[in-house]
């Protein structure tokens, strides 16, 4: 469940830490509609080793002062949204872009 505390609609992405290195995931909203998602490696910060190896990034659309429920399911099908949620740019992977964020 993702909550929007703002008084206007919001589109953004969230990240969920995952540890499975070879698993694929499918994300649906409360209406059963597939939601764009993408798996990327976890950020490596000097002197800090995360307890997970990857992030599942999910594109979310939230109503003002409301919430949306998203369901994450393991699947055998490969996620074909690579680069659709956002693209890594540069060696440091600091810049995120997609069709909404440029």
């Amino acid at each position: 469940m993702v909550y929007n505390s703002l008084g206007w609609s919001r589109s953004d992405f969230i990240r969920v830490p995952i540890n499975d290195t070879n698993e694929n995931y499918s994300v649906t909203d409360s209406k059963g509609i597939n939601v764009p998602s993408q798996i990327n490696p976890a950020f490596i910060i000097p002197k800090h080793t995360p307890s997970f190896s990857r992030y599942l990034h999910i594109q979310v659309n939230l109503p003002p002062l409301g919430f949306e429920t998203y369901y994450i399911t393991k699947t055998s099908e490969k996620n074909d949204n690579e680069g659709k949620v956002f693209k890594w740019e540069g060696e440091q992977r600091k810049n995120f872009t997609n069709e909404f964020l440029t």
Side-chain angles (χ1 to χ4, degrees):
M1 183 179 303
V2 182
Y3 178 69
N4 178 13
S5 61
L6 303 175
W8 53 85
S9 297
R10 186 170 176 199
S11 292
D12 209 336
F13 65 89
I14 60 169
R15 64 182 185 194
V16 178
I18 56 176
N19 230 355
D20 299 327
T21 57
N22 294 318
E23 296 291 337
N24 293 305
Y25 294 87
S26 171
V27 180
T28 56
D29 64 11
S30 59
K31 297 173 187 133
I33 298 171
N34 285 332
V35 175
S37 63
Q38 175 178 322
I39 296 174
N40 292 100
F43 299 111
I44 304 299
I45 301 170
K47 298 184 182 178
H48 173 69
T49 303
S51 59
F52 48 86
S53 59
R54 303 185 304 165
Y55 284 115
L56 176 63
H57 290 89
I58 304 167
Q59 180 74 46
V60 297
N61 297 300
L62 304 168
L65 298 171
F67 65 90
E68 179 63 70
T69 303
Y70 294 93
Y71 300 95
I72 302 170
T73 309
K74 286 185 181 181
T75 180
S76 59
E77 297 176 21
K78 180 152 175 48
N79 187 330
D80 64 350
N81 284 323
E82 189 67 32
K84 291 183 182 175
V85 176
F86 67 85
K87 296 178 185 175
W88 293 103
E89 292 183 356
E91 284 186 22
Q92 298 299 317
R93 298 177 177 164
K94 293 180 182 176
N95 300 320
F96 303 125
T97 62
N98 67 14
E99 63 184 289
F100 306 105
L101 302 169
T102 57

